[in-house]
Amino acid sequence: MMHETRGFRDRRPEAGEAPPALEVRGLTVEFPSRRGTLTAVEDVSLSIAPGEVLGVVGESGAGKSMTGLAVLGLLEPPGRIAAGEIRIGGRRVDDLPDREMERVRGREVGAIFQDPLTSLNPLFTAGAQLVETIRIHLGLDRRAARERAIALLREVGIPAPEERVDHHPHQFSGGMRQRVVIALALAAEPRLIIADEPTTALDVSIQAQITALLRRLCDEHGTGVMLVTHDMGVIAETADRVAVMYAGRVVEVGPVAEVLRAPRHPYTRGLMGSIPALRRRVPKLTQIDGSMPRLNAIPSGCSFNPRCPQAGPRCRRERPALAASGAGLAACWLEQGGVE
Amino acid sequence: MIAFLIKRIANAMLVMLAVAFFAFMIFRFVGDPVEMMLNEQATQAERADLRAKLGLEDGFLVQFGRFVTNAAQGDFGISYRNQQEVIGLIAERFPATFELVIVATIISLAVGIPLGVVTAIRRGAWYSEALQFLSIIGVSLPSFVVGIVLILVFSVTLGLFPAFGRGETVQIGWWSTGLLTELGRAAILLPAVSLSLFQITLVMRLVRAEMLEVLRADFIKFARARGVPARIVHFRHALRNCLMPVVTMTAMQIGNLIAFALITETVFQWPGMGLLFIQAVTFVDIPVMAAYLCIVSFIFVALNTMVDIAYAVIDPRLRGANG
């Protein structure tokens, strides 16, 4: 298997001196609408080193997918980046014109979306879509591109790739299709992959295979991954660090082991409480009461305060900023001098 | 699949039988054919003789059966007006109509598809809105008005194209074509454009609606995420997923066009089947009318059946009992 991947390793940056695969500074995404502007993502800063997997976790609507789409430059109008900077491999991309962004997508940043059943064009073979992507970015001729397509399919663990390359998407199972999608994301060796719920639509038995594959490929190629999910279990297995998002903001960031062992933010604790433990008998899974505020009704102070079991008067008055807490960062008054 | 085929074809035959019945009824409602075929001095014996020869003494069902049997073999009798075989008259006129319809279809696809794509991907731009608005006018303008306006502008005022007729034609076997001569090509343009105007708007609106649907699909977002340039996303990935319904509609509309060609042919004095039919109506030439009715219906039914079968071949789910 290793000889297949030799070509991909050439670009692997030297540890230490390479720029981060992704650096996001103060990203704010807005949706102007007739009834005022909705802020879907507010002042989000993230950084992913080459070869690192950053898990981004939160409930639906927390802004995690929106952050991913903003990095890809695929926000649906009228959504727009209102503030902040996005750098991929050190190069600023948020202000690029569409034409140039087309060359960044696929080449510098790949994407994997939730549903492998609908991510592939049903009318084209897996090979045709791979060859298309490879030729656009690497300018190979048809035969070389096809060779590479077959090598990629083999690398993502598709048996008999010489045959499978000419199959249409409906001839693959869900797990196999997601492998094809991963091969497509990796086709031009991007520095960064945005994986938006890559395993949510798959059978549980397949999920672990796919996350392990993703993990291995990124280790081998030195690709940074932004793994967007609502599943703490996937994060625990795959990610190096985790960023917890709530109502458009990052509320806690830290190394996975640290955050799992000692979550600092009450919201993170709530998320952890909703994972069933296998060993212990739990009478009832904990749940976080209430639901995330709508974007046009975010409470003042800490946006989590109405649902927080430990909220105090300060939480309703002032919004906490991210600050060092343990091995990571947390935006919570409990960690920053109390809630009174 | 075999059961489906048999069912579809049986259906089609039933429809044709019903049409033949109506065509046959025309003969009986429009009066005594013997009166029309013989002059006023004919004797009673001559009348009885012809009556027997035409089989008019037989019962209703026997006559209908004979009509269907003959029609199925392409024998629609003899035209009252010019005493020629009806099927020969139609064969002579069919190429003109067919060429007109094909050229109109090509124009409507060549213009309608790009317009549909543009109005879908540039939704909200002023020219998309303008095209949308114009297409409503295109749908609602009656085709004889379009034809007359085209003649007025391009033939009378500008003198660019002939106002009527087929121009020069070339005979290839029994098929006469105008597409091989310059005059013939110039002559077909105006009637074809006038016939295709309605189709253009139809194709454009269909493509636009389908494109808007497909552009929302995940595989389009994913194609963009792979860095596929917008032009290729729109014209290769999205458009190809829209073409199924367009092909279907085009096939079905060919029948419609042949029927609508009647008006266009009249306006442009195009020597096709439609004009033949209008002339037949003027002269109460019943065999020609009956034959036209049967043949146009046959084209409709055949196209519909073929589309149904093509669907079943493409989509296995349609082969079920309720197909």
Side-chain angles (χ1 to χ4, degrees):
Chain A
M1 183 65 73
M2 285 309 287
H3 67 279
E4 302 295 344
T5 64
R6 199 179 303 131
F8 302 115
R9 294 176 144 258
D10 299 344
R11 247 188 50 199
R12 182 168 192 168
E14 297 299 314
E17 58 188 69
L22 173 69
E23 190 161 29
V24 176
R25 287 262 155 269
L27 177 70
T28 299
V29 174
E30 286 180 353
F31 282 79
S33 77
R34 241 173 294 167
R35 275 184 271 149
T37 300
L38 299 179
T39 307
V41 175
E42 196 175 358
D43 195 21
V44 163
S45 298
L46 299 167
S47 143
I48 301 176
E52 183 186 42
V53 177
L54 173 74
V56 179
V57 69
E59 286 166 277
S60 315
K64 47 197 202 308
S65 295
M66 213 55 83
T67 307
L69 288 177
V71 171
L72 287 163
L74 286 179
L75 287 172
E76 289 289 331
R80 62 190 175 88
I81 296 173
E85 273 182 35
I86 298 168
R87 286 173 193 277
I88 295 173
R91 177 180 176 205
R92 188 161 176 192
V93 297
D94 57 287
D95 53 357
L96 288 181
D98 285 352
R99 275 288 157 85
E100 279 178 59
M101 198 58 206
E102 271 172 8
R103 260 172 297 196
V104 170
R105 283 196 291 266
R107 185 76 184 91
E108 303 289 331
V109 50
I112 301 169
F113 293 130
Q114 178 168 353
D115 193 348
L117 304 183
T118 54
S119 287
L120 300 171
N121 190 331
L123 299 185
F124 295 91
T125 62
Q129 302 187 46
L130 276 162
V131 166
E132 177 184 50
T133 315
I134 292 164
R135 295 194 66 195
I136 287 169
H137 295 296
L138 305 181
L140 298 180
D141 66 52
R142 204 164 276 282
R143 271 189 50 190
R146 189 182 154 86
E147 289 300 306
R148 191 180 160 85
I150 292 171
L152 277 163
L153 288 179
R154 183 177 295 121
E155 204 193 347
V156 296
I158 288 179
E162 295 84 358
E163 242 169 81
R164 295 300 251 166
V165 72
D166 292 320
H167 283 192
H168 281 89
H170 73 266
Q171 291 164 294
F172 291 89
S173 67
M176 284 296 155
R177 260 185 256 191
Q178 195 63 307
R179 286 171 193 264
V180 174
V181 170
I182 291 174
L184 277 164
L186 285 171
E189 298 172 66
R191 296 165 194 272
L192 173 72
I193 286 185
I194 311 286
D196 191 349
E197 307 269 6
T199 59
T200 309
L202 300 175
D203 284 354
V204 180
S205 55
I206 313 281
Q207 286 185 359
Q209 290 175 20
I210 295 293
T211 46
L213 173 72
L214 198 58
R215 177 79 248 194
R216 176 174 65 77
L217 291 173
C218 296
D219 282 345
E220 285 173 12
H221 299 189
T223 314
V225 178
M226 178 172 160
L227 177 65
V228 174
T229 178
H230 61 263
D231 186 342
M232 268 295 194
V234 171
I235 299 276
E237 278 166 32
T238 321
D240 299 305
R241 284 189 308 131
V242 59
V244 181
M245 284 188 75
Y246 185 80
R249 292 176 151 262
V250 175
V251 295
E252 180 164 2
V253 194
V256 166
E258 199 64 28
V259 173
L260 289 182
R261 193 177 54 78
R264 303 281 165 169
H265 198 283
Y267 178 63
T268 317
R269 278 199 284 278
L271 283 180
M272 311 276 302
S274 10
I275 306 173
L278 288 176
R279 302 270 169 74
R280 260 174 310 135
R281 279 179 64 89
V282 196
K284 198 174 136 204
L285 286 178
T286 345
Q287 60 177 39
I288 310 173
D289 290 327
S291 58
M292 212 169 56
R294 283 211 303 265
L295 291 178
N296 55 5
I298 292 179
S300 61
C302 171
S303 49
F304 188 58
N305 82 66
R307 301 169 73 188
C308 183
Q310 288 148 289
R314 192 175 181 189
C315 304
R316 285 182 274 277
R317 273 197 321 269
E318 294 169 65
R319 176 176 279 176
L322 276 176
S325 167
L329 304 167
C332 180
W333 291 126
L334 287 168
E335 300 291 315
Q336 297 170 33
V339 295
E340 293 311 316
Chain B
M1 189 68 199
I2 298 291
F4 173 83
L5 272 180
I6 292 172
K7 204 174 141 195
R8 271 276 156 260
I9 290 170
N11 251 340
M13 282 167 67
L14 215 68
V15 172
M16 281 315 298
L17 219 57
V19 170
F21 182 74
F22 280 108
F24 178 66
M25 289 305 278
I26 304 177
F27 285 98
R28 305 187 62 87
F29 281 127
V30 187
D32 189 350
V34 174
E35 287 297 333
M36 288 181 238
M37 292 175 84
L38 292 177
N39 62 30
E40 279 149 29
Q41 277 90 41
T43 62
Q44 199 59 39
E46 278 173 332
R47 283 165 200 267
D49 193 33
L50 182 62
R51 203 172 284 277
K53 214 168 98 191
L54 289 174
L56 294 178
E57 304 297 340
D58 298 329
F60 176 82
L61 277 179
V62 176
Q63 284 190 45
F64 179 56
R66 190 160 48 225
F67 174 78
V68 170
T69 320
N70 288 342
Q73 291 161 358
D75 179 7
F76 287 97
I78 290 175
S79 160
Y80 292 168
R81 190 163 72 101
N82 29 16
Q83 302 294 321
Q84 282 174 315
E85 286 257 358
V86 171
I87 194 69
L89 282 176
I90 290 194
E92 200 177 284
R93 299 299 194 92
F94 180 72
T97 297
F98 187 74
E99 279 180 3
L100 180 62
V101 166
I102 291 302
V103 172
T105 302
I106 292 169
I107 293 176
S108 63
L109 292 179
V111 178
I113 290 176
L115 287 186
V117 173
V118 166
T119 49
I121 58 187
R122 296 273 176 265
R123 196 159 44 121
W126 66 267
Y127 49 86
S128 300
E129 298 296 319
L131 280 168
Q132 279 285 96
F133 180 71
L134 283 175
S135 77
I136 297 173
I137 298 178
V139 168
S140 35
L141 269 185
S143 66
F144 64 89
V145 173
V146 176
I148 289 169
V149 169
L150 285 176
I151 290 178
L152 196 65
V153 174
F154 291 98
S155 305
V156 178
T157 312
L158 298 173
L160 290 174
F161 301 106
F164 62 88
R166 276 188 93 183
E168 201 179 326
T169 59
V170 178
Q171 205 72 23
I172 303 171
W174 64 276
W175 189 276
S176 68
T177 178
L179 297 178
L180 295 178
T181 66
E182 205 161 307
L183 282 177
R185 282 195 293 268
I188 204 168
L189 208 65
L190 285 190
V193 166
S194 132
L195 191 58
S196 65
L197 199 69
F198 181 79
Q199 303 293 316
I200 289 174
T201 58
L202 218 58
V203 170
M204 178 186 128
R205 292 178 150 257
L206 182 67
V207 169
R208 183 185 123 93
E210 290 289 324
M211 279 289 283
L212 288 178
E213 184 82 28
V214 172
L215 285 176
R216 274 197 295 270
D218 277 355
F219 65 81
I220 293 297
K221 189 168 80 167
F222 187 60
R224 294 182 63 202
R226 298 190 266 133
V228 178
R231 186 173 38 83
I232 299 182
V233 170
H234 293 146
F235 283 90
R236 191 193 291 168
H237 289 272
L239 181 58
R240 223 172 119 170
N241 276 279
C242 302
L243 286 186
M244 252 304 267
V246 175
V247 169
T248 313
M249 194 207 67
T250 307
M252 309 273 265
Q253 285 293 324
I254 285 180
N256 252 339
L257 281 178
I258 288 175
F260 274 137
L262 198 142
I263 296 163
T264 311
E265 285 178 6
T266 313
V267 172
F268 288 92
Q269 287 297 300
W270 187 261
M273 291 200 306
L275 200 59
L276 180 73
F277 177 73
I278 295 289
Q279 285 160 354
V281 170
T282 328
F283 291 96
V284 205
D285 196 345
I286 294 162
V288 174
M289 287 157 66
Y292 178 81
L293 186 60
C294 288
I295 286 173
V296 169
S297 313
F298 176 75
I299 292 170
F300 257 98
V301 171
L303 284 170
N304 267 300
T305 308
M306 282 191 303
V307 167
D308 276 354
I309 292 172
Y311 261 30
V313 170
I314 292 162
D315 192 340
R317 286 170 303 181
L318 290 176
R319 289 174 211 163
N322 51 0

